[in-house]
Amino acid sequence: MNYKYSPLPATSSGTFSIRLLHLMPVCDSQDDDSLSCRLVETEITDHSSNESMCNETGQSHVKYQALSYTWGLPVFSHSLQIRDSSDDNDTLISPKPKGSCSIIRITENLYAALRSLRKPTETVVLWVDAVCIDQQNIVERNSQVANFPKTYAGATNVLVWLGPDDVLDHGRLCLNFFTDLAALILEDPKSESENDQRSWRKRFQINQAVSAFLGDDELQPRAITSLLQRSWFKRRWIIQEVVLAKEVWVHYGTTSIHWNTFELAFVELFENDKGGFSDEHRTILRTMSRIRNAEAMLKRQTPLDTLVEFDSFECSNPRDRLYALYGVMQHWFPNSAGMRVLVDNIDYGLPIRDVFTDFAIHMMKLGDDFPLDSNYNSATHVLQLAGAMRPLRQRGVTGQDVPSWVPDWTGTMRNRPLRHSRANSDASLGIPIQRFQILTLEDNSHALVAVGLVHDVIRAVIPLDILPLTGAVHKAKHALNNFLCSVATSFDELSFFPPSCADIYGPTGQHIISTIAVTLVANWEHTPANSYFAQDARFPAQFLEQLRSSKHHLPEILHKWPAYVELISITMRGRSLMLTESGYVGICDTNAREGDLVCVLSDTRIPFILRQKHLTLPLIPKSSSSLVNGDILRGDAFELLGDAYIHALMNGEAAERLGKNSLRRLCIL
């Protein structure tokens, strides 16, 4: 019969309850193919939250290992026999008498893992999520997922199961090579003088070993490629499991190595191979080579950055796009009360729309919770990611559409958010600061109500194909020249320049080519901080001086400034150039079109593009206690499309030009 879970009991402060899988040794089973265990309800001391109390009570630490693996296809083709527990250990809760036996159905991959990890003569104590959690009990599931960080941090080891080896023994070949490579890298010279003499020889030997292992024939399947195709490397939950673990051991078939050896080999392979891996494989190599040492505090990133960094990792439940990384974010920001609230509010019963919306609201309130510089604005970042992460699926299909102002983490990143302007020198300067308000509507969706200025209307959107820019110089020059021709055509069609000011950009008096050159890289300061032009303030000035001296032939100076081309390709991915009704030049999301609005919202750092929603009826707030009174009228409702750079509109010029009397209430749905 199927195993029936009993509820986990409530625990005292400083402890939490889990079930541990006591895997019986091989000799305990008459049939070598069968697996049997006991599920033991166990009270675990939370050492991370109350170390001093644990020391005073003298409660022994329960030793167990946590399994990190992939469930695989939801085909439960094997049985795990569950014996009744009768252990007298004082850490056990409510032991049951021996005698009966029931089963839990498990997947092929978990069956293979337990078979491989089982010992001949001793019991192995494991924590395995699929078995140790009653997956049908939503309340227990919520509680246990919230305890994942403590569960993995409390384990003596985390055991990574990559799966059974293949018929060519690729797993054994890879892990044995990693062991030899790590030993070669870590080999100490006998003296300092010998180190100087051998440094180049050692590098030669390492390169030679890597080249020999990877092979020269690209058509020949390589052991490392087989390794990187393992589904474990794409699983979102592994990030938390590896980051929080005390020690990690990697198992691939019957071969195993310590994570430090595994990681060292990945570092070398990522830095050594210059083109033999696919982009997906290089992403895996990069992530695995730094995941245990990635310190968010040192990188000055935010929880939102953490989600973006690991965006390529997958999960079957969309809620886990967030839940799987809550433990990592809490670990990297231990002093953040906001992170603790997030972990405590995990709820698999909530609709996906509400999970994403609640997270966005929470993130918008955490502006002062992280040690970042004054340029960062959390509300701005949330809105930027909402535009950048929009999924490609057709809206309205599921009936649970995520609001346009909320990042939909099931989507893919279309563009990289622009860097924020400096405090007191941003686009909303001069607009009275009014915090965003959240309005619950009759259909239980949430609207974001903001105060801001509708500055302009888009009159032309001009796409730039960035693919040729990353190729040969002559192709880049040709692509950029074609793009400038399309810009010139749009100028003529719109009568963009007054007759007396040919080729002069009205808001600043600059030549239009200089303006476009600056706009395509968002004026340098809004692009990645580690770019070439961010290294020295003289570099942008030198570029513009050379542009002026070449009589504004932008394509002709590309070969002199490859860093400029690279920066365009980063900044303009997922973006287009735009021209506005008032004579402004900027860049916006590729989904923007003629008639969309350039808006500057209070308490944000950069402009945003909004599209007016044509509603047939007013949307009525569900709660009359809202700070916003009355219905949302047709003229008040908008859809957020994304962030924007508008040349000469990034430093408070909107409020200066329009004045406070032009402020509007904008409801973003």
Side-chain angles (χ1 to χ4, degrees):
M1 64 177 179
N2 291 332
Y3 179 75
K4 185 176 181 180
Y5 289 90
S6 58
L8 285 169
T11 54
S12 58
S13 176
T15 64
F16 62 98
S17 288
I18 61 175
R19 297 182 187 90
L20 291 178
L21 187 158
H22 290 236
L23 186 61
M24 299 293 103
V26 177
C27 62
D28 245 29
S29 174
Q30 295 179 348
D31 181 3
D32 188 56
D33 289 334
S34 67
L35 292 171
S36 63
C37 71
R38 288 173 299 154
L39 277 183
V40 181
E41 296 168 1
T42 311
E43 187 173 296
I44 303 294
T45 303
D46 181 7
H47 290 272
S48 61
S49 64
N50 206 339
E51 186 75 35
S52 60
M53 187 195 78
C54 300
N55 292 336
E56 289 174 7
T57 58
Q59 185 173 2
S60 61
H61 177 63
V62 178
K63 293 183 179 180
Y64 63 93
Q65 301 177 96
L67 185 63
S68 176
Y69 72 109
T70 56
W71 283 33
L73 295 174
V75 178
F76 302 93
S77 53
H78 294 275
S79 297
L80 175 64
Q81 297 178 3
I82 312 296
R83 298 184 183 181
D84 282 344
S85 172
S86 61
D87 199 320
D88 293 325
N89 192 312
D90 61 3
T91 62
L92 304 184
I93 302 172
S94 305
K96 301 174 184 177
K98 265 187 179 179
S100 60
C101 185
S102 52
I103 64 169
I104 293 177
R105 304 296 296 180
I106 59 176
T107 62
E108 173 69 35
N109 195 43
L110 179 54
Y111 173 77
L114 295 178
R115 283 262 323 216
S116 177
L117 297 173
R118 182 172 56 173
K119 301 290 185 184
T121 58
E122 60 182 278
T123 299
V124 179
V125 181
L126 299 169
W127 185 86
V128 183
D129 58 355
V131 177
C132 296
I133 299 174
D134 182 358
Q135 298 294 331
Q136 305 306 313
N137 185 333
I138 295 295
V139 174
E140 178 180 306
R141 192 174 166 195
N142 294 340
S143 172
Q144 290 294 291
V145 171
N147 283 332
F148 271 14
K150 294 181 283 189
T151 302
Y152 279 97
T156 54
N157 294 298
V158 167
L159 307 178
V160 170
W161 172 250
L162 297 180
D165 208 347
D166 55 32
V167 293
L168 298 177
D169 283 342
H170 280 147
R172 179 181 58 80
L173 291 173
C174 273
L175 298 196
N176 287 346
F177 168 71
F178 286 0
T179 301
D180 294 340
L181 180 61
L184 181 59
I185 294 170
L186 296 174
E187 184 182 69
D188 289 328
K190 296 177 182 177
S191 66
E192 234 179 86
S193 60
E194 187 180 351
N195 183 42
D196 294 337
Q197 295 170 5
R198 292 185 57 193
S199 59
W200 68 270
R201 290 188 177 89
K202 185 174 181 179
R203 171 44 55 189
F204 176 80
Q205 290 173 334
I206 292 171
N207 291 345
Q208 188 178 43
V210 171
S211 297
F213 180 70
L214 295 181
D216 297 326
D217 186 359
E218 293 184 4
L219 298 178
Q220 182 181 0
R222 299 183 301 191
I224 186 65
T225 302
S226 176
L227 169 71
L228 297 176
Q229 288 173 343
R230 293 284 163 159
S231 58
W232 184 85
F233 291 105
K234 301 176 184 177
R235 181 174 172 263
R236 202 168 184 83
W237 280 103
I238 70 163
I239 302 159
Q240 177 174 255
E241 294 160 5
V242 170
V243 167
L244 302 180
K246 291 187 181 77
E247 297 286 342
V248 183
W249 283 87
V250 180
H251 294 256
Y252 193 168
T254 58
T255 314
S256 63
I257 60 172
H258 193 272
W259 181 271
N260 291 351
T261 301
F262 195 66
E263 182 183 83
L264 197 59
F266 269 73
V267 170
E268 182 59 40
L269 289 173
F270 176 69
E271 295 178 350
N272 197 301
D273 184 79
K274 304 303 180 186
F277 294 115
S278 66
D279 289 341
E280 178 185 349
H281 291 161
R282 289 194 63 76
T283 298
I284 293 171
L285 288 168
R286 177 184 60 81
T287 305
M288 292 302 116
S289 67
R290 59 191 292 275
I291 189 171
R292 288 275 285 173
N293 300 309
E295 290 295 339
M297 300 290 279
L298 296 177
K299 294 187 296 181
R300 301 178 68 79
Q301 73 176 17
T302 69
L304 292 171
D305 292 325
T306 301
L307 289 167
V308 171
E309 181 177 10
F310 297 115
D311 181 58
S312 62
F313 289 77
E314 302 166 357
C315 53
S316 57
N317 190 322
R319 297 169 186 83
D320 289 336
R321 302 292 299 178
L322 300 178
Y323 293 167
L325 291 175
Y326 279 0
V328 177
M329 291 187 275
Q330 187 181 36
H331 173 71
W332 281 341
F333 299 97
N335 299 321
S336 168
M339 288 297 97
R340 289 192 292 274
V341 170
L342 274 180
V343 174
D344 292 340
N345 287 336
I346 289 174
D347 186 354
Y348 282 93
L350 281 178
I352 296 167
R353 177 186 67 181
D354 294 346
V355 172
F356 289 174
T357 300
D358 291 347
F359 178 76
I361 294 170
H362 193 73
M363 286 294 103
M364 294 175 84
K365 297 177 181 178
L366 294 183
D368 301 324
D369 212 13
F370 306 102
L372 301 160
D373 57 43
S374 60
N375 293 12
Y376 181 73
N377 180 281
S378 56
T380 304
H381 199 183
V382 169
L383 298 183
Q384 288 180 292
L385 289 174
M389 297 293 295
R390 198 76 47 81
L392 298 177
R393 59 177 168 77
Q394 183 181 359
R395 294 179 65 80
V397 175
T398 63
Q400 286 289 336
D401 289 330
V402 175
S404 68
W405 59 272
V406 172
D408 186 337
W409 298 100
T410 62
T412 54
M413 196 89 161
R414 288 202 307 270
N415 55 54
R416 181 179 294 188
L418 300 170
R419 292 182 70 212
H420 300 176
S421 297
R422 296 183 299 275
N424 300 321
S425 182
D426 56 65
S428 66
L429 185 65
I431 300 177
I433 295 179
Q434 297 192 36
R435 303 291 183 184
F436 293 113
Q437 299 167 11
I438 308 300
L439 201 61
T440 303
L441 306 178
E442 278 198 328
D443 64 351
N444 287 324
S445 65
H446 292 81
L448 183 76
V449 180
V451 170
L453 295 171
V454 177
H455 178 269
D456 220 332
V457 180
I458 296 178
R459 281 294 168 248
V461 176
I462 309 165
L464 169 62
D465 184 4
I466 65 170
L467 289 179
L469 298 181
T470 59
V473 173
H474 70 279
K475 291 183 179 180
K477 289 164 63 175
H478 181 71
L480 192 54
N481 189 68
N482 288 344
F483 169 72
L484 293 175
C485 288
S486 65
V487 173
T489 301
S490 297
F491 284 156
D492 293 338
E493 292 173 351
L494 297 174
S495 300
F496 190 78
F497 297 106
S500 59
C501 302
D503 298 337
I504 298 301
Y505 180 56
T508 63
Q510 294 173 297
H511 191 281
I512 189 62
I513 294 297
S514 298
T515 299
I516 291 174
V518 169
T519 300
L520 291 177
V521 295
N523 200 24
W524 291 288
E525 67 172 310
H526 297 282
T527 46
N530 59 349
S531 70
Y532 172 82
F533 289 97
Q535 296 176 21
D536 194 312
R538 294 172 296 178
F539 294 164
Q542 290 171 0
F543 172 82
L544 291 175
E545 179 59 35
Q546 290 191 27
L547 181 59
R548 284 190 289 269
S549 66
S550 66
K551 298 183 180 178
H552 311 293
H553 292 166
L554 182 56
E556 296 305 318
I557 67 169
L558 292 185
H559 66 285
K560 298 180 182 178
W561 292 89
Y564 175 74
V565 182
E566 183 181 2
L567 201 50
I568 287 181
S569 65
I570 294 172
T571 308
M572 292 301 293
R573 183 170 71 90
R575 300 186 190 275
S576 298
L577 189 78
M578 68 175 177
L579 308 176
T580 75
E581 191 173 72
S582 302
Y584 284 78
V585 176
I587 57 176
C588 61
D589 189 281
T590 52
N591 286 337
R593 62 175 184 244
E594 182 182 352
D596 291 336
L597 305 177
V598 177
C599 299
V600 180
L601 307 177
S602 175
D603 198 29
T604 58
R605 296 291 170 81
I606 55 179
F608 286 91
I609 305 299
L610 303 183
R611 179 174 296 163
Q612 197 154 16
K613 298 275 285 186
H614 298 289
L615 304 177
T616 56
L617 294 171
L619 289 175
I620 303 173
K622 186 176 182 180
S623 172
S624 59
S625 62
S626 169
L627 295 176
V628 182
N629 297 318
D631 300 345
I632 301 171
L633 303 177
R634 281 175 286 180
D636 294 329
F638 299 88
E639 176 186 357
L640 178 79
L641 296 181
D643 61 4
Y645 170 85
I646 316 294
H647 197 60
L649 196 69
M650 305 299 289
N651 301 109
E653 294 91 344
E656 202 174 291
R657 178 171 176 261
L658 298 178
K660 296 179 182 179
N661 293 333
S662 299
L663 288 172
R664 288 178 58 179
R665 182 187 70 165
L666 307 171
C667 184
I668 305 174
L669 303 177

